[in-house]
Amino acid sequence: MLETDPFLIWRGFLFVSINIEKIIVSRRTIHYMWKIMIFAGIGGFAGTCCRFLINKLCALLFNTPFPFATFIINITGCFLLGLLSGFFAKQGIVSPRLNAFLIVGFCGGFTTFSTFSLESLNLGISGLMSVSMLYIAASIVLGLLAVWCGMIITNH
């Protein structure tokens, strides 16, 4: 009966079954996905808290229109992402839980590309076009360099 039903109702949640060529999302798969999402959520919480603290610290240290907090967070996040990716590849670590916690969760909650985009636009709109262009160029170049350095450190 589950193979023909378009929906699975399980523990109060509504899940759409995938009925293409007899592929069905099982209760075990759904349970496993929830576990992985919880790891990603906990990592995201930790990354967001770190981002918040760095943002507050930079507000105390820098009094300039240049968005140092987002810049530092993005470059550090790029480096950390490269370091973790390279380390996992070198060590052959393919733990979905560890990946969900550190890569998807922590780095995803920590880095701030959407904030970077908004701040770049706002700098330009407020007449600080040269600061905006410097911020964009430095973030992209140093972000790529930080990912590369992180991977080089792990010899990947």
Side-chain angles (χ1 to χ4, degrees), residues 23-55:
I23 299 173
I24 302 296
V25 176
S26 69
R27 287 183 179 183
R28 174 181 264 169
T29 302
I30 292 167
H31 183 70
Y32 178 75
M33 287 178 5
W34 274 104
K35 282 183 179 180
I36 298 299
M37 286 190 299
I38 289 169
F39 277 96
I42 293 169
F45 175 77
T48 301
C49 289
C50 287
R51 174 183 169 188
F52 176 81
L53 292 173
I54 290 172
N55 213 354

Side-chain angles (χ1 to χ4, degrees), residues 2 5-6 18 31 33 47 58 69 71 78 84 106-107 117 130 135-136 139-140 144-145 152:
L2 289 177
D5 285 344
I18 301 171
H31 183 70
M33 287 178 5
C58 286
F71 181 73
C78 287
L84 290 170
F106 185 84
C107 289
S117 299
S130 60
Y135 181 43
I136 292 167
S139 293
I140 291 170
L144 290 169
L145 184 63
I152 290 296

Side-chain angles (χ1 to χ4, degrees), residues 7-145:
F7 300 102
L8 296 174
I9 298 181
W10 180 71
R11 295 189 188 176
F13 294 101
L14 186 65
F15 294 100
V16 178
S17 68
I18 301 171
N19 198 2
I20 301 170
E21 298 178 17
K22 305 262 182 186
I23 299 173
I24 302 296
V25 176
S26 69
R27 287 183 179 183
R28 174 181 264 169
T29 302
I30 292 167
H31 183 70
Y32 178 75
M33 287 178 5
W34 274 104
K35 282 183 179 180
I36 298 299
M37 286 190 299
I38 289 169
F39 277 96
I42 293 169
F45 175 77
T48 301
C49 289
C50 287
R51 174 183 169 188
F52 176 81
L53 292 173
I54 290 172
N55 213 354
K56 294 300 178 190
L57 179 64
C58 286
L60 294 173
L61 297 176
F62 304 108
N63 185 17
T64 175
F66 189 85
F68 276 104
T70 305
F71 181 73
I72 290 167
I73 290 165
N74 281 341
I75 300 308
T76 306
C78 287
F79 176 74
L80 182 61
L81 190 62
L83 192 67
L84 290 170
S85 297
F87 178 76
F88 290 169
K90 182 179 180 184
Q91 298 299 318
I93 298 172
V94 289
S95 167
R97 291 177 181 158
L98 195 56
N99 183 66
F101 179 78
L102 290 173
I103 303 285
V104 176
F106 185 84
C107 289
F110 183 65
T111 58
T112 55
F113 190 74
S114 58
T115 304
F116 158 74
S117 299
L118 178 65
E119 289 172 343
S120 298
L121 183 64
N122 285 340
L123 284 168
I125 290 171
S126 66
L128 299 169
M129 189 56 74
S130 60
V131 174
S132 178
M133 291 295 115
L134 172 66
Y135 181 43
I136 292 167
S139 293
I140 291 170
V141 170
L142 291 176
L144 290 169
L145 184 63

